[in-house]
Amino acid sequence: MVIYVQEYKLYLLIQSEHLDSYRHKGLRNKLIDDIRSKGIKNEEVLEAMGRVPRHLFMDSSFVNFSYTDKAFPISAGQTISQPYTVAYQTELLDVSRHLKVLEVGTGSGYQTAVLLELGARVYTIERQRQLFLDAQKTLGPLNYKPIFFYGDGYEGLPAYAPFDRILVTAAALEIPQSLLDQLTVGGVLVVPEGGHLGQKMIRVVRETEDHFQHSEHGHFSFVPLLRGKNN
Ligand code: SAH
């Protein structure tokens, strides 16, 4: 019996090593240093990213590149965002514990995990059914618990509004009015705006019920925010 228990412990050890090893953690620390050197200053954001095993969110074909600062293809012709971009958007969003955050575009679930690591209450919506299902399979075993929705995030989630923060991880041709309407007063929306030739990162602060302050924050490249949902 004792031998059996020890064998089982060894098995668990091997399993967990396989999940997130010292080698992965070392690579991740280097990636975080790289992102910091590119100008991300918020240490809480960097620490949160340092805790998320990005290799478990990647498509298996690209898993060896998990800790390079690049976007990669996932299912349904979508992408897992570049880590620098995740850090940049999260920093702009100004997340703190217990804030209610809506993420539009669950994708791989990687950004969702970073928001959860910062202590936010996360509502995440995805229009691609396969990604909606896959993200639950990835996040569940890692004990990340957002509230998942399958639908058109362009409409936001009126039944659950208002939100303290809204983060859009796909490019909108124009900022959806529905999302502005679902911000709390004092709330922040971060959204890349523009067409396929490139987008500007926009940050909107709802200063009063009727007044929204817009600012621009550099150029990025995202997959488009599409309308409707996809089987
Ligand atoms: N945060 C994700 C980014 C994925 S790419 C990650 O790091 O993995 C953007 C995602 O937005 C894609 O999965 C795409 O299917 C989704 N998307 C595009 N338009 C959408 C919409 N209207 N509603 C919900 N999700 C949408």
Side-chain angles (χ1 to χ4, degrees):
M1 183 58 191
V2 172
I3 290 168
Y4 175 75
V5 168
Q6 280 182 348
E7 273 177 2
Y8 184 62
K9 276 189 182 162
L10 185 65
Y11 169 73
L12 284 182
L13 197 71
I14 292 166
Q15 284 288 89
S16 60
E17 273 290 296
H18 185 68
L19 273 180
D20 193 22
S21 67
Y22 283 113
R23 189 181 73 83
H24 290 125
K25 286 178 187 144
L27 292 170
R28 199 147 69 233
N29 286 339
K30 280 194 183 160
L31 172 66
I32 299 305
D33 287 344
D34 183 19
I35 295 172
R36 188 187 284 110
S37 74
K38 290 175 178 168
I40 301 297
K41 294 193 174 63
N42 186 323
E43 284 298 323
E44 277 185 45
V45 170
L46 293 167
E47 278 170 27
M49 290 181 64
R51 291 192 292 270
V52 180
R54 189 173 189 245
H55 60 282
L56 301 178
F57 295 79
M58 300 279 289
D59 184 286
S60 58
S61 322
F62 302 102
V63 78
N64 288 341
F65 305 108
S66 303
Y67 295 106
T68 51
D69 189 21
K70 291 202 170 93
F72 286 96
I74 52 175
S75 317
Q78 305 304 312
T79 51
I80 177 170
S81 297
Q82 182 183 343
Y84 173 77
T85 305
V86 171
Y88 193 92
Q89 284 201 296
T90 311
E91 188 170 66
L92 275 182
L93 198 64
D94 189 20
V95 184
S96 50
R97 296 196 79 75
H98 310 305
L99 288 187
K100 188 175 162 192
V101 179
L102 170 63
E103 179 194 26
V104 176
T106 315
S108 67
Y110 176 72
Q111 170 78 72
T112 321
V114 173
L115 294 170
L116 289 164
E117 283 286 353
L118 288 164
R121 292 179 287 140
V122 183
Y123 295 68
T124 184
I125 181 163
E126 172 57 57
R127 68 178 291 280
Q128 294 279 357
R129 189 172 165 75
Q130 194 55 51
L131 292 174
F132 160 75
L133 296 171
D134 289 351
Q136 290 174 69
K137 284 191 203 134
T138 307
L139 289 164
L142 294 171
N143 222 14
Y144 288 123
K145 296 192 174 79
I147 307 174
F148 292 97
F149 296 85
Y150 167 50
D152 183 0
Y154 196 98
E155 307 293 345
L157 286 172
Y160 297 85
F163 296 95
D164 302 306
R165 302 285 184 269
I166 301 179
L167 176 60
V168 184
T169 68
L173 282 174
E174 55 192 40
I175 300 176
Q177 184 60 43
S178 42
L179 298 183
L180 294 171
D181 291 342
Q182 289 172 40
L183 272 181
T184 55
V185 171
V188 179
L189 165 70
V190 173
V191 52
E193 187 186 28
H196 65 282
L197 293 177
Q199 304 106 28
K200 287 180 199 158
M201 192 66 77
I202 308 292
R203 181 177 199 259
V204 185
V205 181
R206 185 171 201 170
E207 292 188 328
T208 65
E209 192 66 28
D210 302 319
H211 188 254
F212 296 82
Q213 179 73 50
H214 290 237
S215 53
E216 287 184 14
H217 301 268
H219 289 81
F220 289 85
S221 181
F222 283 81
V223 295
L225 184 72
L226 300 173
R227 303 302 306 271
K229 57 183 179 180
N230 197 339
N231 277 308

